[in-house]
Amino acid sequence: MHDLAGEDPDVRFSPYCWRTRFALAHKGLPVETVPWRFTDHDAIAFSGQGKVPVIQDDGKTVFDSWTIATYLEDQVPAPTLFGGTTGRAHALFVNAWADSVLVGGIARFIVRDLLDVIAPKDRDYFRSSREARFGRSLEEVQAGREDRLTVFRDALLPVRLVLRRQQWLGGAAPSYADHIIAGTLMWPRCASRFELLDRNDPVAEWQDRMLDLYGGLGRSAKRP
Amino acid sequence: MHDLAGEDPDVRFSPYCWRTRFALAHKGLPVETVPWRFTDHDAIAFSGQGKVPVIQDDGKTVFDSWTIATYLEDQVPAPTLFGGTTGRAHALFVNAWADSVLVGGIARFIVRDLLDVIAPKDRDYFRSSREARFGRSLEEVQAGREDRLTVFRDALLPVRLVLRRQQWLGGAAPSYADHIIAGTLMWPRCASRFELLDRNDPVAEWQDRMLDLYGGLGRSAKRP
């Protein structure tokens, strides 16, 4: 698996690669990760596209975290990530919410911190592509983040409401819905020291449980 | 089933009652609805609480749209609403998103229109309770709604992203996830003439398909 890495090859912070890491761990599948940087175009050219995660399994290449999750579920049905076709369809909504609301929301808190974590050779690309996307400098995007915390935390209300009724997004046991959101939250955790969650938030308590799963896979991840 | 009604008893606009109506139709279960107004406390006192939907089935009383959906699934497994326990757990996220983002968002577009639709005896209660909630008059809450349409439509992005990949929230067939969102959208449809969706939005196209399901249950609903 090609996995986005920082200047320190042990710092892995991609919200999409983390979804895949959790899904692989859930299935009990061993994985060898290859540190990859944004500008390592040639390294994943074999996949026919330019983003990670990319996995290679028994001669097959699969990319895109959602596609990888469905591939894993089809190849190794148990323990399940989705609990069937309707569960898979419903998880796509969680994925879409995370990709839009969560990734978009978090970016504004850590995008300047990311610049310090990524490999020096990636920095020009990262700054220019992200500044074009936001229409402002990375410093301006991230400025005043403390004042925006309440709005961000309020946007997590759907997760909070679910956790009032069940221990995991997946119900009585973790599912890929948990991997999606916990994987996304590994991004700020591994790219910044900024605390996005109130530690008394049920979402933070759930995140703590997620960090301990799979032998502490999330907990032991290197932070900057 | 006690179902929230307007001054015209045939106008039914509760986003929660509509979820239940769709779920019952999905199961092919006949239902007799009883028009209910906000101030009809005595009529549902038997349920031990004060909100609709409330269903009575074979001597049992069940309230809360989510609880009713799980009750229906347990009583009549096919056709399924959730596709199993994980599908049910994942649908709870859709429910939580609809209850917070969607209901909260829509209210600001139609809350003054609602006042004209509900029964005259409900109007004092409705105005005072909603104005206390918003901290402003109903007229102020609804004012300038055209200018807020873009932000609201952007908030539907998770639904739009899902519909890029599959025909229904439930995948290849409608599920309770579709009922949750379509039911919520019956609220503005049946309480206002204000158009929340751009007709070219894939969400509007999906809503059109939902309106035609179950013999046109949604399509034939009386509008103000």
Side-chain angles (χ1 to χ4, degrees):
Chain A
M1 170 179 164
H2 282 78
D3 186 11
L4 186 62
E7 177 173 15
D8 179 340
D10 293 333
V11 170
R12 309 293 176 91
F13 53 82
S14 159
Y16 304 103
C17 291
W18 271 107
R19 298 178 198 182
T20 300
R21 293 290 302 279
F22 282 133
L24 286 162
H26 185 87
K27 294 287 189 192
L29 295 169
V31 60
E32 181 192 344
T33 64
V34 181
W36 178 89
R37 275 73 182 218
F38 289 109
T39 49
D40 290 345
H41 306 296
D42 293 348
I44 58 169
F46 67 89
S47 71
Q49 54 87 59
K51 292 180 178 176
V52 292
V54 176
I55 65 165
Q56 293 171 276
D57 173 46
D58 197 22
K60 283 188 287 289
T61 296
V62 190
F63 58 88
D64 176 84
S65 60
W66 177 260
T67 306
I68 292 170
T70 62
Y71 171 82
L72 295 176
E73 184 79 347
D74 292 342
Q75 294 292 313
V76 183
T80 184
L81 290 170
F82 297 115
T85 54
T86 308
R88 180 184 298 200
H90 292 174
L92 188 56
F93 185 85
V94 179
N95 204 64
W97 180 82
D99 287 356
S100 52
V101 176
L102 206 50
V103 169
I106 292 170
R108 290 166 174 78
F109 289 91
I110 63 162
V111 72
R112 177 58 189 81
D113 292 349
L114 271 160
L115 193 69
D116 295 331
V117 168
I118 63 177
K121 67 174 183 171
D122 281 356
R123 288 179 189 165
D124 284 350
Y125 155 76
F126 186 83
R127 180 182 281 279
S128 61
S129 62
R130 270 52 177 180
E131 293 190 345
R133 190 180 300 168
F134 286 107
R136 289 180 293 163
S137 74
L138 300 186
E139 288 74 12
E140 287 170 327
V141 172
Q142 193 172 294
R145 58 184 173 179
E146 290 79 7
D147 301 334
R148 291 183 275 109
L149 264 180
T150 303
V151 171
F152 173 77
R153 290 172 178 174
D154 285 351
L156 299 176
L157 182 57
V159 184
R160 210 169 286 126
L161 291 174
V162 168
L163 294 173
R164 272 188 207 163
R165 294 220 190 209
Q166 57 198 34
Q167 194 177 9
W168 305 99
L169 278 295
S175 73
Y176 192 63
D178 293 275
H179 304 155
I180 291 165
I181 298 182
T184 307
L185 292 175
M186 290 302 287
W187 179 36
R189 180 178 170 85
C190 295
S192 173
R193 283 278 162 187
F194 188 70
E195 288 293 337
L196 274 171
L197 301 182
D198 179 337
R199 298 322 299 170
N200 296 318
D201 186 341
V203 179
E205 293 166 12
W206 159 85
Q207 185 192 25
D208 268 341
R209 298 199 302 275
M210 283 300 302
L211 291 169
D212 290 330
L213 287 184
Y214 316 125
L217 176 65
R219 180 83 64 199
S220 62
K222 192 163 182 181
R223 304 185 67 185
Chain B
M1 170 180 164
H2 281 79
D3 185 11
L4 186 63
E7 176 172 17
D8 179 341
D10 293 333
V11 170
R12 309 293 176 91
F13 53 83
S14 159
Y16 303 103
C17 291
W18 270 107
R19 297 178 199 183
T20 300
R21 292 290 302 278
F22 282 131
L24 286 161
H26 186 87
K27 295 288 188 191
L29 295 170
V31 61
E32 182 191 344
T33 64
V34 181
W36 178 89
R37 275 73 180 218
F38 288 108
T39 49
D40 290 345
H41 305 295
D42 292 349
I44 57 169
F46 68 88
S47 71
Q49 55 87 59
K51 292 180 176 174
V52 292
V54 176
I55 66 165
Q56 293 170 276
D57 174 46
D58 196 23
K60 282 186 288 291
T61 297
V62 190
F63 59 87
D64 176 83
S65 60
W66 177 261
T67 305
I68 291 170
T70 62
Y71 170 83
L72 294 175
E73 185 79 348
D74 292 340
Q75 294 290 314
V76 184
T80 185
L81 291 170
F82 297 115
T85 54
T86 309
R88 180 184 296 201
H90 292 173
L92 187 56
F93 185 86
V94 180
N95 204 64
W97 179 82
D99 287 356
S100 51
V101 176
L102 207 50
V103 169
I106 292 170
R108 290 166 175 76
F109 289 92
I110 63 163
V111 72
R112 177 61 188 81
D113 292 350
L114 271 162
L115 193 69
D116 295 331
V117 168
I118 64 177
K121 67 174 182 170
D122 281 356
R123 289 179 188 164
D124 285 349
Y125 154 77
F126 185 83
R127 181 182 279 280
S128 60
S129 62
R130 270 52 177 179
E131 293 189 346
R133 190 179 300 170
F134 286 107
R136 289 181 294 164
S137 74
L138 300 186
E139 288 74 11
E140 287 169 328
V141 172
Q142 194 172 294
R145 59 184 173 179
E146 290 78 7
D147 302 333
R148 292 182 274 110
L149 263 180
T150 303
V151 171
F152 173 77
R153 291 171 178 175
D154 286 351
L156 299 176
L157 182 57
V159 183
R160 209 169 287 124
L161 291 173
V162 168
L163 295 172
R164 272 188 206 163
R165 293 221 190 209
Q166 55 197 35
Q167 194 176 10
W168 306 98
L169 277 295
S175 73
Y176 191 62
D178 294 275
H179 305 154
I180 292 166
I181 298 181
T184 307
L185 291 175
M186 290 301 287
W187 179 38
R189 181 177 169 87
C190 295
S192 174
R193 283 277 161 187
F194 188 70
E195 287 295 336
L196 274 171
L197 301 182
D198 179 337
R199 299 321 299 169
N200 296 318
D201 186 340
V203 179
E205 293 165 13
W206 160 84
Q207 184 193 25
D208 267 342
R209 299 199 302 276
M210 282 301 303
L211 291 169
D212 289 330
L213 287 184
Y214 317 124
L217 176 65
R219 180 83 64 199
S220 62
K222 192 163 183 181
R223 303 186 66 185

